[in-house]
């Protein structure tokens, strides 16, 4: 009975932590409903497997453990539809499930480690942290041989360029594809933007926080 109460307490801690992560931190900031069940299912599945490994012990526990890491190794997180900050949430849900599922870990220590994870992800992904820093891939309707001219063009269209990488240059169509990190101008700042005829011909640039 004590082991069942211990397991139930850890399960309650795990569910509370992953629900805070998913519904109080992630969803209000990113609004991606399709990733909510993924985070919840991954967390609870890992908790279940870790708890089962503890019960199996030497009777197949090693084989089950290798199987677990084999399954985790084939999870693909390098999709274009998943941003880097969402990968951070993936790993946080994973670690929460592992920590809370350890049966011999004291409840107080598991709670403290879970709170630490939540505090780190809350602060690292806070909207006010580097709020005006952005990254996008744009296609410019010009080819600039002078880096200063390229910087000025990017500044006129987007904001203050922090760093950029020229990914492609097309001299035939007079196009330049640039992966740029920049800082948005402050609200109300008097900045010159490109005219409608000069706007960036980028096919739906992928806006994201740097």
């Amino acid at each position: 009975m004590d082991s069942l109460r211990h397991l139930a307490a850890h399960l309650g801690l795990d569910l509370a932590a992953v629900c805070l992560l998913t519904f109080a931190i992630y969803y209000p900031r990113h609004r991606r409903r399709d990733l909510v069940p993924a985070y919840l299912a991954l967390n609870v599945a890992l908790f279940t497997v870790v708890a089962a490994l503890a019960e199996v012990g030497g009777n197949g526990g090693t084989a089950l453990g290798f199987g677990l890491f084999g399954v985790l190794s084939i999870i693909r997180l390098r999709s274009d539809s998943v941003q880097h900050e969402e990968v951070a949430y993936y790993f946080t849900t994973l670690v929460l499930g592992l920590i809370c599922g350890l049966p011999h870990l004291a409840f107080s220590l598991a709670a403290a480690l879970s709170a630490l994870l939540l505090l780190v992800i809350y602060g690292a992904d806070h909207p006010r942290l580097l709020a005006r820093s952005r990254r996008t891939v744009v296609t410019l309707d010009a080819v600039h041989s002078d880096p200063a001219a390229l910087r000025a063009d990017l500044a006129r269209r987007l904001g203050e360029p922090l760093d950029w990488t020229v990914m492609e240059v097309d001299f035939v169509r007079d196009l330049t594809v640039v992966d740029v990190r920049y800082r948005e101008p402050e609200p109300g700042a008097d900045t010159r933007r490109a005219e409608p005829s000069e706007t960036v011909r980028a096919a739906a640039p992928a806006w994201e926080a740097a």
Side-chain angles (χ1 to χ4, degrees):
M1 291 298 295
D2 290 339
S3 62
L4 287 178
R5 284 195 295 267
H6 186 76
L7 180 62
H10 277 249
L11 177 59
L13 173 63
D14 180 57
L15 292 177
V18 74
C19 286
L20 281 174
L21 176 70
T22 305
F23 296 110
I25 301 177
Y26 172 74
Y27 186 75
R29 293 179 179 179
H30 299 279
R31 299 293 179 181
R32 285 200 58 174
R33 184 187 179 280
D34 57 317
L35 289 181
V36 170
Y39 293 152
L40 296 176
L42 177 63
N43 173 267
V44 176
L46 283 173
F47 178 92
T48 304
V49 172
V50 172
L53 282 172
E55 291 298 325
V56 172
N59 299 322
T62 303
L64 186 57
F66 280 113
L68 169 63
F69 286 105
V71 171
L72 293 177
S73 66
I74 64 175
I75 295 178
R76 294 183 60 86
L77 299 177
R78 294 178 295 174
S79 171
D80 292 337
S81 62
V82 178
Q83 307 299 331
H84 292 291
E85 62 269 18
E86 291 163 345
V87 174
Y89 282 95
Y90 261 114
F91 281 101
T92 304
T93 58
L94 183 152
V95 175
L96 284 174
L98 292 176
I99 289 176
C100 295
L102 293 173
H104 302 298
L105 187 65
F107 181 84
S108 58
L109 180 57
L113 293 175
S114 299
L116 176 62
L117 285 171
L118 293 175
L119 286 174
V120 169
I121 196 68
Y122 176 83
D125 191 41
H126 198 281
R128 294 184 180 179
L129 181 64
L130 304 176
R132 294 191 295 118
S133 296
R134 295 289 183 268
R135 171 186 176 270
T136 189
V137 177
V138 296
T139 302
L140 302 176
D141 53 355
V143 175
H144 298 287
S145 57
D146 183 6
L150 175 59
R151 178 185 178 87
D153 195 2
L154 292 173
R156 179 171 58 90
R157 297 174 188 268
L158 300 173
E160 179 188 355
L162 302 176
D163 189 26
W164 65 88
T165 301
V166 177
M167 303 175 63
E168 181 181 351
V169 176
D170 191 330
F171 290 100
V172 176
R173 294 181 296 170
D174 200 28
L175 299 176
T176 305
V177 180
V178 185
D179 183 349
V180 57
R181 277 80 169 172
Y182 66 98
R183 182 181 292 110
E184 284 186 334
E186 294 183 1
D190 185 15
T191 57
R192 293 186 57 189
R193 292 288 183 176
E195 298 298 328
S197 61
E198 300 176 329
T199 53
V200 179
R201 298 207 303 248
W207 297 93
E208 62 180 25

